[in-house]
Amino acid sequence: MSPGRSLRRIVKDATGQDVYKCQACYDCDTSHENEMDIPLASLIQMVLQNDEEALQCRTLWSDSVLEASRRACKRGLDLHAVMTVLREESERRSGK
Ligand code: SF4
């Protein structure tokens, strides 16, 4: 366990994906709004701000969104990898 590591750092270490590259264009291609409480773009921005609420949002835990996230980013970020690591981090913090 590495207390103090930011969510951005955790994602980067595990996946090589740097959410800093997110341009907040809000063009993420997802069509599951009914399963989302926040847009994927907001989820990525929350990770960038180390906002732990990102780990609790419905969007993160939607399997439909997770599947759609593979090709969602228009700027080349692998959002599927990011979401998978965030789920793992959430489970680790809750002791599962
Ligand atoms: S499409 Fe990619 S760069 Fe644009 S807001 Fe979504 S995650 Fe960020």
Side-chain angles (χ1 to χ4, degrees):
M1 198 162 104
S2 307
R5 274 200 313 167
S6 68
L7 289 175
R8 176 189 171 196
R9 171 56 60 187
I10 288 166
V11 167
K12 188 150 189 284
D13 286 351
T15 70
Q17 300 296 305
D18 192 347
V19 294
Y20 185 71
K21 292 181 181 161
C22 174
Q23 297 176 9
C25 62
Y26 280 74
D27 286 339
C28 318
D29 189 11
T30 49
S31 53
H32 302 281
E33 283 78 7
N34 56 332
E35 294 190 24
M36 304 169 78
D37 50 357
I38 56 172
L40 258 183
S42 296
L43 174 64
I44 301 305
Q45 290 298 308
M46 288 167 79
V47 172
L48 196 47
Q49 292 158 15
N50 199 32
D51 183 343
E52 298 191 4
E53 295 276 319
L55 302 178
Q56 313 296 336
C57 69
R58 281 183 68 211
T59 299
L60 178 62
W61 294 97
S62 163
D63 289 337
S64 302
V65 174
L66 180 65
E67 187 56 35
S69 71
R70 290 181 191 279
R71 295 166 295 278
C73 178
K74 299 291 192 286
R75 308 282 182 264
L77 276 171
D78 182 347
L79 298 185
H80 186 274
V82 172
M83 285 182 71
T84 300
V85 168
L86 291 175
R87 284 183 174 201
E88 290 169 0
E89 179 64 14
S90 179
E91 289 179 343
R92 189 185 68 75
R93 292 186 185 192
S94 63
K96 284 184 191 168

